[in-house]
Amino acid sequence: MKITRQKHAKKHLGFFRNNFGVREPYQILLDGTFCQAALRGRIQLREQLPRYLMGETQLCTTRCVLKELETLGKDLYGAKLIAQKCQVRNCPHFKNPVSGSECLLSMVEEGNPHHYFVATQDQNLSMKVKKKPGVPLMFIIQNTIVLDKPSPKTIAFVKAVESGQLVSVHEKQSIKQLKEEKGLVKNPEQRRKKKHKKVSGPNPLSCLKKKKRAQDTKSSASEKKRKRKRIRNRSASKVLTEKQNAE
Ligand SMILES: [Zn+2]
């Protein structure tokens, strides 16, 4: 049983490595529910996770998850201790903490650039994670750790990339690197220099003046009309004030 479980994990990991650039050390984001399940199943995450994934792992969590565990009190004391031993990764909720699940979901936004695995027992969070392509999902079932198979959304995404409809984030990064290496993309400093040259050129200002003069001569007729109108308006207002005065 154990061998087939590990074979599946190896296969799924290979898929994420090839298509999404997932690399060791595997960054595993834990939430409170996963810590609690590990505690109940007497699973030593630090020993078992690297063995199961056959590679170096880093257990990490966020401040929001820790905060949530603190507020949940004594029942989750053990889970809190496990979470506190994880590395704390920066999330965007420094001032206003959100729920653990909302926070972990935000950590894998925009193509999961840090290649996080999400480890949770929360069905609701799992569903949402599965809708984002390229996020490996882990959970504990019958006291064993499981790396879920790539979600249908993830597989569809890879197929779209293969058929040329999409470019994956991983590919974008390597394309950008290649371009920079071959000098196809100029770095920002060079761009700034170019802009400077354009501004210091002598011609544009003198050209502008000439244009203005040309426009002036053309529009002189219409300006005269405007003046006439203004005069009319003035006289009209005079008439009005005169009327008012008379009243
Ligand atoms: Zn957060």
Side-chain angles (χ1 to χ4, degrees), residues 9-35:
K10 197 177 177 183
K11 192 178 136 194
H12 301 332
L13 262 181
F15 181 87
F16 284 110
R17 287 175 70 102
N18 292 335
N19 295 299
F20 297 97
V22 172
R23 289 283 176 274
E24 284 179 58
Y26 303 123
Q27 314 282 312
I28 302 173
L29 270 177
L30 314 182
D31 77 348
T33 62
F34 190 83
C35 293

Side-chain angles (χ1 to χ4, degrees), residues 62 64 91-93 98 103:
T62 66
C64 296
C91 68
H93 321 107
V98 296
C103 183

Side-chain angles (χ1 to χ4, degrees), residues 62-65 89-94 96-100 102-104 106-107:
T62 66
R63 231 174 249 111
C64 296
V65 169
R89 291 294 151 89
N90 286 331
C91 68
H93 321 107
F94 187 73
N96 303 306
V98 296
S99 73
E102 194 182 322
C103 183
L104 291 201
S106 78
M107 299 294 279

